[in-house]
Amino acid sequence: MKKNRFLYKIWLLLFLSIGFTACKKGVSDIEKVEEQLVLQLSSANITLDENNLSKDIVTFSWHPARPQSNDHLVSYITKLDLVGNNFGSATAIMNYEDDGTFSRSFTSEQLQNWANQKWGIPTNKSFTLEFRVIAQWEGGATFESPEVRTVQVNVTPIRTVVFDADKIFLGGSAVPGLSKVEMPKTLENLNQYAYLIDLQPGELQIPVEYNGSTNYIASADAATTVKDGTAIGIKMRETAFSWKIETAGKYRVVVNMQKATATIYSPAQALAPKVVTWNGDGGIAQTTTIAELWMHGAVNSFGTPVKMDCKVSLADPQILVYTGGRVGKTKFIVYGGNDNNKNLAYAFSCPLTATGTAQELTLVQGTVAPLSGGSTSAQRNSYYTIPSGTNVIVFDLRNMTILAEKR
């Protein structure tokens, strides 16, 4: 019995040895791929520039990847994300680069907005971003592994002053009834408070409640005279501070906690909504005071215009805020009827081309874009595409800008 066990082990080792030898002869080394993709950045440490928000603050550039046969088509994909997010689909800024493009730049405004709104970075906190470029091939008789390069950049954000507040009020002897009136946050900027209020001659105070304590907003220069319609620097103080209200009437008060400014508009400087004129069906002149907008385009298959149920900002009647999830290609018209006037109405959309012809552009979430308006054929045939995931659109008709956000 022992002899049989011994022979069994010998034969097993012999067969295994033959198998290993056969496998070894059948395996050949894969030729090493000589990658050539080189990624560089303009600076590894940047400070966002609040004075030049739309200027490029960082540029990533790369040399082409290794050459292949004409049967292979190479494409480049770039991704930007916060370190630690691993370029997730919900957090990465991804672009398919055009043929022959070997660089990608970002502005201070883009990085600041993404930091606050997309990546949730606390105010005034520095952060590190990762940028990745991927070269990949399609076609050809063989599979070609992609080339991937990643670099990091340290970012110092724009320094902002954000006062802590649970509630902000308007009070003092200028407020009728001597009772405080709470100021709500504005929809377009959650760090901003605004209110339209009837005041009488007297003193206007702006108390701030936080953690059970009350402080007061004061002008940075301690001046008590209202600088009508002008944003002034503010500070917090424990003792009461008052602005002198000389004339009775409806006042608009705006406090921007992020910029640390306050603006008081008297009746003499009252802000008015935007008014536009256009010719309807049959050339009949129309005048529209804008307090609402309608989507019209591919987004509604050019059928019945979609009422946006915009909210007019308390900070400025020419700021309209849409909170909804409808996305797609559209223009924004000032008339919502289902007759032919919907096709002739004054429309807001992207600017015309340099030669004055219609064009179509796509909004980028978190980036302020120019807004153009008119009733010419070219303007009515220009469209913005609202990107997927957008649920807030801010129309600033005074400064003619548009901002799409995902909150």
Side-chain angles (χ1 to χ4, degrees), residues 324-368:
R326 189 176 288 268
V327 298
K329 187 175 77 173
T330 185
K331 57 187 174 183
F332 309 96
I333 62 176
V334 302
Y335 173 78
N338 203 24
D339 52 30
N340 191 48
N341 276 355
K342 69 182 180 182
N343 300 314
L344 301 174
Y346 193 102
F348 295 99
S349 57
C350 64
L352 304 181
T353 66
T355 58
T357 58
Q359 68 171 332
E360 299 177 5
L361 298 175
T362 298
L363 295 170
V364 177
Q365 285 180 359
T367 299
V368 176

Side-chain angles (χ1 to χ4, degrees), residues 252-265:
R252 189 183 303 271
V253 183
V254 182
V255 176
N256 191 312
M257 299 292 274
Q258 188 173 35
K259 294 182 178 180
T261 61
T263 310
I264 301 175
Y265 299 89

Side-chain angles (χ1 to χ4, degrees), residues 184-205:
K185 294 181 178 181
T186 61
L187 285 174
E188 70 273 17
N189 183 348
L190 299 182
N191 289 312
Q192 180 175 260
Y193 297 74
Y195 201 72
L196 193 61
I197 185 172
D198 284 311
L199 296 179
Q200 59 193 17
E203 295 184 342
L204 175 66
Q205 298 175 351

